[in-house]
Amino acid sequence: MSTRKPIVVGNWKLHNTISESLALVTELKNQLAAVRDVEVGVAPVFTALHPVAKRLEDTAIQVVGQNCHHEERGAFTGEVAPSLLADAGASYVIIGHSERRQHFGETDEGVARKARAALDAGLRVIVCVGETESERDAGETERRVGSQVDAALAQLTPDDVPGLVLAYEPVWAIGTGRTATPAQAQEVHSFLRGRLEGKLGSQAAGVRLQYGGSVKAENAEELLAQPDIDGALVGGASLKAEGFRAIVKAAQGDRA
Ligand code: 13P
């Protein structure tokens, strides 16, 4: 069994008002505040980030930004700097989510800049990679995720490893109910671990690799039991406390 501490993060995407967010984290706080063997995080919309962080102040539950800009300040209307996320109470930020790449034109180069800036601001980063369905069908999965990882890590060094989480989220499995099978996910995770080794040497063994894409209570245990799957990045199933708690429990089970 690996010594990597599992990490389960709920990516709420564009859901929940401030009061809905507070209701959800209050439930999570009651259910999960004592969990220490799994790192747990929630990623609210920006407007709810600070109130959520205040509510979770005395717990180990981490607050996660869904995106950030690579510049710290300036004439960048609508953007949020990494240090401002930290100021609002975030300790992590998700970078390069496929929805950002797909709908907002985010590029591999942009992801690299954001990762560097976020780490420099003292945040830890969850860098997302994943292939589309047509890339998988064309046998291009490894080429695609390999190049995404190479690009994202272009400005990182082995010293950055403690702040780095890599999330494999096959685009065809996001929000579709079609999960990668545990074997499919493990195959890509194992490939990614090897790719990280090429870049970071033996330090790669310490990088946590999350799987994301239709993770739910029913499939979490089998996915998280895979040797190179160290956690989950959960969308839809993280919007209800009970479902999310079950996924955290599955990650705990993997440690038992
Ligand atoms: P779903 O769990 O809703 O498929 O979303 C996955 C995801 O994109 C998490 O970042």
Side-chain angles (χ1 to χ4, degrees):
M1 196 193 70
S2 101
T3 53
R4 295 179 293 270
K5 186 175 183 172
I7 174 166
V8 176
V9 170
N11 174 10
W12 296 353
K13 307 190 180 183
L14 187 44
H15 294 285
N16 292 338
T17 61
I18 292 174
S19 63
E20 287 164 349
S21 300
L22 288 175
L24 180 50
V25 286
T26 302
E27 268 192 271
L28 292 177
K29 183 172 160 168
N30 294 335
Q31 296 173 349
L32 300 173
V35 171
R36 292 287 183 278
D37 48 357
V38 175
E39 196 167 15
V40 178
V42 292
V45 294
F46 285 147
T47 48
L49 208 130
H50 186 56
V52 163
K54 293 296 279 181
R55 182 65 56 94
L56 294 175
E57 220 160 39
D58 52 346
T59 76
I61 301 175
Q62 307 290 314
V63 178
V64 180
Q66 294 184 14
N67 176 38
C68 66
H69 191 49
H70 66 271
E71 294 284 355
E72 268 305 323
R73 60 184 58 74
F76 302 105
T77 302
E79 293 294 333
V80 174
S83 65
L84 297 181
L85 291 179
D87 183 49
S91 54
Y92 280 89
V93 61
I94 297 168
I95 293 176
H97 192 282
S98 65
E99 288 151 14
R100 302 251 9 127
R101 296 178 190 257
Q102 214 176 329
H103 305 305
F104 302 99
E106 222 158 85
T107 62
D108 284 343
E109 294 67 34
V111 169
R113 274 198 299 273
K114 289 181 179 198
R116 182 68 269 155
L119 287 161
D120 287 344
L123 292 172
R124 286 168 280 173
V125 297
I126 299 173
V127 173
C128 301
V129 300
E131 82 286 4
T132 62
E133 184 164 31
S134 58
E135 286 165 341
R136 172 161 285 264
D137 290 346
E140 296 278 297
T141 298
E142 293 191 351
R143 190 196 56 74
R144 181 71 187 121
V145 299
S147 72
Q148 287 174 327
V149 168
D150 290 350
L153 268 58
Q155 299 183 37
L156 307 194
T157 71
D159 291 344
D160 294 311
V161 162
L164 176 64
V165 174
L166 192 62
Y168 168 57
E169 298 205 307
V171 176
W172 49 272
I174 294 177
T176 59
R178 264 183 76 196
T179 323
T181 64
Q184 279 176 323
Q186 167 58 26
E187 190 181 9
V188 179
H189 280 231
S190 163
F191 167 78
L192 289 171
R193 179 93 51 208
R195 197 73 166 214
L196 288 172
E197 252 157 36
K199 170 80 184 167
L200 303 169
S202 59
Q203 296 272 49
V207 177
R208 289 173 299 172
L209 303 183
Q210 289 179 308
Y211 169 78
S214 298
V215 177
K216 46 186 185 276
E218 295 74 28
N219 57 27
E221 201 172 316
E222 225 192 323
L223 285 161
L224 288 162
Q226 303 302 311
D228 286 297
I229 301 184
D230 310 311
L233 188 53
V234 187
S238 70
L239 295 171
K240 293 267 184 296
E242 195 45 48
F244 188 60
R245 189 185 71 97
I247 295 167
V248 174
K249 290 278 170 212
Q252 277 188 302
D254 190 37
R255 301 279 297 167

